[in-house]
Amino acid sequence: GRGAHEFRPREQLHSPEAILMAAATLASSVVVRGTPVASVAAGKRASARPMRGSALVVRAEGEIAGLSECGKFQELCKAEIPGKIPRHDFLLQMYRYMEIAYGENGLAQYGKRMDVELISNGKEGDEELTNGMLVVIFGNKDGEEVEICELICEMDSEQVPTYDTLMPSQDGQLMKTNRSGKDEFVTGKYFVIKRPVPIDETANPALKQMIKDMTLAINKYYAFGSCFSDDN
């Protein structure tokens, strides 16, 4: 286990600027009419779930702010997670947070019913369910409940170097290194929040507040070791 004393209280993982970036990404730009295709999230969701109902309000790909390099996702926000934070524990904590905040209280808190699913990274055993979460958001179209957004929240695949000690170099300068004498890494630099395109604008008001609350939960985890910690 990791003690909260290892981290400085109230230190911010996620800047206010990043939250503003997410808000700006969710706002603005020309909205066009179109019929979205079914989307498939990463991991265990192998079959596409077609969206029912009439044509939704979606944004054309060329007009989307924060479009990923592959062109398949709109990146709404990302938080850099320091190398010393254990990814497995962080992601399980975030899953617990999302189950309560979105799965149980989505309708009351954000006006939308939501389902939360784990995204498998394909590994076995304790490391199996540690790549991220999928939040499926539902809305009302013509009196019928339909899926309006798949929010994917997962670690990226960037390798982050980690160190466990300081040792003097040949010129006497202290340098970070590992007691093993080897280069060591953890997978995942950023916790990325994104959604597939084309997108449904009716999810935006809920997404803005959800991302703001999620960043507060991430900062609580960093400062206190739990997404549910209180600082009073």
Side-chain angles (χ1 to χ4, degrees):
R2 177 180 52 78
H5 66 274
E6 296 175 25
F7 306 104
R8 287 176 287 171
R10 304 177 193 277
E11 185 165 355
Q12 297 291 300
L13 270 184
H14 212 108
S15 66
E17 290 77 14
I19 298 174
L20 291 174
M21 178 196 79
T25 301
L26 285 163
S28 76
S29 184
V30 180
V31 175
V32 298
R33 299 289 296 183
T35 304
V37 296
S39 56
V40 184
K44 69 177 183 179
R45 294 173 55 80
S47 59
R49 184 195 292 116
M51 293 189 184
R52 299 166 295 161
S54 59
L56 305 180
V57 180
V58 299
R59 199 190 296 276
E61 290 187 21
E63 300 166 346
I64 294 175
L67 197 64
S68 62
E69 288 185 12
C70 67
K72 296 179 180 179
F73 300 97
Q74 181 190 34
E75 293 186 358
L76 301 176
C77 208
K78 62 181 182 181
E80 183 174 356
I81 308 301
K84 62 187 175 183
I85 288 185
R87 269 60 181 152
H88 181 74
D89 182 67
F90 167 70
L91 288 168
L92 288 180
Q93 283 261 353
M94 290 305 298
Y95 175 60
R96 285 181 56 217
Y97 167 79
M98 291 183 192
E99 277 272 77
I100 294 171
Y102 305 152
E104 296 178 13
N105 297 308
L107 189 60
Q109 191 70 26
Y110 305 103
K112 304 290 183 187
R113 189 179 76 79
M114 306 181 201
D115 287 338
V116 181
E117 302 176 15
L118 279 166
I119 299 173
S120 173
N121 60 10
K123 296 182 180 179
E124 299 294 330
D126 291 341
E127 297 299 318
E128 180 187 359
L129 300 173
T130 56
N131 208 55
M133 284 65 64
L134 173 70
V135 183
V136 182
I137 305 174
F138 297 92
N140 190 285
K141 302 286 182 184
D142 301 323
E144 185 179 13
E145 184 181 75
V146 294
E147 178 185 318
I148 59 172
C149 180
E150 288 183 335
L151 190 67
I152 301 166
C153 311
E154 62 183 353
M155 297 300 298
D156 66 9
S157 57
E158 185 171 342
Q159 296 291 300
V160 181
T162 59
Y163 310 97
D164 60 17
T165 190
L166 293 171
M167 293 185 68
S169 62
Q170 290 182 337
D171 58 6
Q173 298 292 319
L174 284 177
M175 57 183 294
K176 293 179 180 178
T177 186
N178 290 298
R179 293 183 179 90
S180 65
K182 300 177 182 178
D183 292 333
E184 297 182 11
F185 300 88
V186 294
T187 301
K189 182 175 183 179
Y190 292 100
F191 186 60
V192 182
I193 303 164
K194 61 187 179 181
R195 60 177 168 177
V197 297
I199 60 178
D200 182 349
E201 299 284 330
T202 62
N204 285 7
L207 285 174
K208 288 180 184 178
Q209 189 60 45
M210 288 168 65
I211 290 173
K212 183 178 180 180
D213 293 344
M214 191 190 303
T215 57
L216 293 175
I218 292 172
N219 281 324
K220 282 185 177 182
Y221 177 85
Y222 185 49
F224 308 110
S226 169
C227 295
F228 305 96
S229 295
D230 211 329
D231 59 355
N232 56 22

